[in-house]
Amino acid sequence: MRPHKSAEVLPSLHDEPDWPGRILRGTPVLLAYLDSELRFRFANETHRTWLGLDPERLLGRRVVDVIGERNYQRAGAALEKALAGHMSCYEGELFNGSERRYVHGNFQPDFDADGKACGVFTALVDITERRTLELRLHESEQRFFGAFQHAAIGMALTHPDGHFMRVNAAVCQMLGYSEDELLKLNIADITHPDDLAADLELLSQLSAGQRDSYQLEKRNFHKNGHVVHIQLSVSAVRNAQGAPLYFVSQAQDVTERKAFEAALYRERELAEVTLRSIGDAVITTDPRLRVTSLNPIAEAMTGWTSTEAQGKLIEEVFQLFDAQHGTTVSNPLRAAIEHNAIVDLASRTLLRHRHGFDTPVEDSSAPIHDNAGSVIGGVLVFHDVSETRALALKMIHLTQHDTLTGLPNRSQLDGLVGQALMTAARRQQRCAVLYIDIDNFKQINELYGHGDGDRVLRALAAQIRRGLPGDEVLCRYGGDEFVVVLPHLKSVGEAASVCQTLIAQCEQTSVAGLPELALRVSIGISVYPDDAGEPKSLLQHAETAMVAAKAQGQHGYRSFTASMNERALARRRIETALRQALPRHELSLLYQPKVAADTGRIVGAEALLRWYVNGRELYTPDQFIPVAEDSGLILPIGAWVLRQACKQARLWQQLGQPMPVSVNVSPLQFQHADFYSWLDDVLSESGIDPGLLELELTERMVMSGDATTGLLRRIRQRGVRLSLDDFGTGYCSLSYLKHFPIDALKIDRAFVRDLTTDPDTATITTAIIAMARSLNKVVVAEGVETREQGDFLRQAGCSQLQGFLYGVPMPAAALEQLIVAAG
């Protein structure tokens, strides 16, 4: 049998007589042993290469004498630390004569049998080349980040999960955030929701390697909530395997450009609508008299479409002849551009149609100028002076009006609204748009057929027209939707009055052969300039208000409010900020005192959540708590509130002022499967007497099922008190209270407010207090603001009172002072 191949190749350790010596001679590391006086007792051969000295001549010499005072000042402290019995290291410069090297040294103490350090093992490695590379890399990084930070355009480095890793000053200024604030956000936090999907899709393609970079125009949110339009360019930095390490984004603020584009678009749209709507034919050209556009009447009179005519010389499209002699007539636009003046066409001139027939026309030509006054083109305005003009106008009318009702259609609506806006602006008046939709019109078509449905629409249009007082514009927008333009509005209330009239008028719509219809409509109102300054937005806002009118029960009207559009955006802003509120320590608890009704002594406090930033209230609880509940953030926030309240109660208990504290519990929090575990943990951590904590629950929470009853009993057995908040506003009967372990009832402030002015409210409140006391329940009245209210509740038998009369919500320290002052 042949021996294993490795046995043939690998030499035995016994074949090499001095392996340790070979390693000590060959290693590129300075290895030495120093005794307790830091004298050399061993130095390997590498010292000869580094120091130019025979290692044997080093033995017995002190380190400082060999390496010099300058080197010893650098590394000596580490050597002395090792000699004191502690492993140490040194990394830094050492000098070999005039040559400067960079080394890393490890110093290991050697201990004798008694555990005392008797020497030091030293090992030094020359890392000069590595250090040089590191310095060059550092300088390169500094140059890069200097250019990055001070770049004129916004720049950001983004992690593949979307969080910002680094941002420069320009992008911070662009979005209104500090660098620290932006680094806590991600792409989704600042991107307009309508643009987020496109951005994330391109980012996904970039991550997957399907593209090297991408460019995108998108909308970001400024810190104060307004939209910033940016031109974004993104590329990826990848590792050796091709996976993205981070993304480099360049952003330019193009908000001003977008505003200019929008304004230009509006002007262009207005001009185009005007050209298409007027009764005269219009042709425009460039300075070389090549056609750039024709309006619909010009198309009908020349036989050329605007697309076909573009780029052709004016004489090819607009051919003129003398009516008497049949000779060619020179085009007046040439003279107008040449002399930079308005030139009219001579009388008795014929325009030859593309298909050969002639039409007598009248014409006016003029140059078009830019801002500097230079001629940039020309315009011909002409019209038919024969009977064919009537036919052309009829054709135009058919394209701009609804064939069913004869009303202007939606193609004319922008122009009509635009004219109303210009008139209102010139007269410094308001105008309004009413967006009308028939409720459940689909049922009419289903019951009577589309033919009768069309008859109903015609009859309704006539009814709306009768309900309009003067020169208002009525358009059929499409289907069962109509739009009314009120061009002269004396007040916003006038638009509401017109809506009431129209609703009543529409109810009277009748059609021969059909039963009584009683048509119901929903109307949305949008007012210029209050709600919008241009036609498209004014129409959109009116439609939004109409949808809101339908949502509230149909057959009515609603005026547009900014909240209809901003509600979702505002909630999103609150949610984004709320996610950072806890880590930024922006949430705090105030405490409102509860007093004994008979003595006025403070006997408890309710913990109330507030959100302050820089000393001012950022959002009220009514604004942010519903958002917290909808987003699920109420769970961590509710847990924090419970923990803080218990800590404060424990502190008061330790100070000898035990103060029961009540905490409101959200339904989402209470119904969570782990709520009892959280409560138990908080009580154990804080160490308070459970009887000092009171949970305030709503009637709906208490009545939500058998599982809830069991949870209530467990909480009560743990010693925590339970209170029913806002009693009387829900559906919980006093007779049910005996089935639940409730300690206290809180009478809603709505009852307290009307106690002294409404006898019925006073009677109901007195009955509630009496019946609750008969069930041995503590009765707390909240919202007490006047002495008359307090006196009534005290005489009725109320146990505790809470409200501004006895103290506003205040910090814990202020409440302590109030207690001390009361003695």
Side-chain angles (χ1 to χ4, degrees), residues 772-791:
R773 288 178 63 87
S774 70
L775 293 172
N776 295 319
K777 309 295 183 187
V778 174
V779 183
V780 183
E782 60 182 355
V784 182
E785 297 181 357
T786 68
R787 293 192 179 279
E788 292 78 11
Q789 293 168 350
D791 292 338

Side-chain angles (χ1 to χ4, degrees), residues 355-537:
H355 298 305
F357 59 86
D358 296 334
T359 304
V361 293
E362 291 180 351
D363 164 282
S364 181
S365 308
I368 302 173
H369 303 97
D370 62 12
N371 290 338
S374 303
V375 175
I376 58 172
V379 59
L380 278 168
V381 181
F382 57 98
H383 60 265
D384 183 356
V385 293
S386 71
E387 293 81 4
T388 58
R389 174 176 171 80
L391 177 60
L393 291 176
K394 178 65 175 176
M395 293 170 61
I396 297 300
H397 178 86
L398 290 175
T399 63
Q400 296 179 345
H401 289 75
D402 174 42
T403 56
L404 179 65
T405 62
L407 297 173
N409 59 25
R410 67 189 302 165
S411 69
Q412 274 198 281
L413 189 55
D414 275 355
L416 294 170
V417 175
Q419 291 170 16
L421 264 59
M422 287 189 294
T423 301
R426 187 169 61 250
R427 297 179 178 178
Q428 295 186 333
Q429 292 180 336
R430 288 184 172 91
C431 66
V433 169
L434 310 183
Y435 196 106
I436 305 172
D437 181 84
I438 306 174
D439 298 335
N440 303 315
F441 182 72
K442 182 180 178 183
Q443 295 178 4
I444 292 177
N445 281 329
E446 291 174 349
L447 284 172
Y448 309 117
H450 288 278
D452 283 335
D454 288 347
R455 293 172 62 206
V456 171
L457 288 174
R458 281 195 294 268
L460 178 73
Q463 285 295 108
I464 295 175
R465 170 55 66 196
R466 291 188 192 99
L468 297 175
D471 58 351
E472 293 77 14
V473 175
L474 173 61
C475 297
R476 186 184 179 201
Y477 197 66
D480 60 342
E481 297 170 335
F482 296 84
V483 171
V484 173
V485 182
L486 306 178
H488 311 298
L489 206 63
K490 297 177 182 176
S491 67
V492 176
E494 186 179 345
S497 298
V498 172
C499 287
Q500 292 172 342
T501 301
L502 293 179
I503 290 171
Q505 198 74 25
C506 291
E507 284 182 336
Q508 304 303 315
T509 303
S510 61
V511 176
L514 295 182
E516 184 178 348
L517 296 170
L519 288 182
R520 300 162 69 89
V521 297
S522 297
I523 306 177
I525 306 171
S526 179
V527 177
Y528 167 87
D530 306 55
D531 300 327
E534 49 92 18
K536 185 176 181 181
S537 295

Side-chain angles (χ1 to χ4, degrees), residues 643-670:
R643 189 174 294 109
Q644 292 298 113
C646 287
K647 284 182 180 179
Q648 185 58 57
R650 175 60 175 168
L651 181 60
W652 282 330
Q653 185 180 354
Q654 291 173 335
L655 293 175
Q657 297 174 338
M659 174 77 64
V661 175
S662 60
V663 176
N664 287 281
V665 177
S666 161
L668 189 66
Q669 186 182 6
F670 185 74

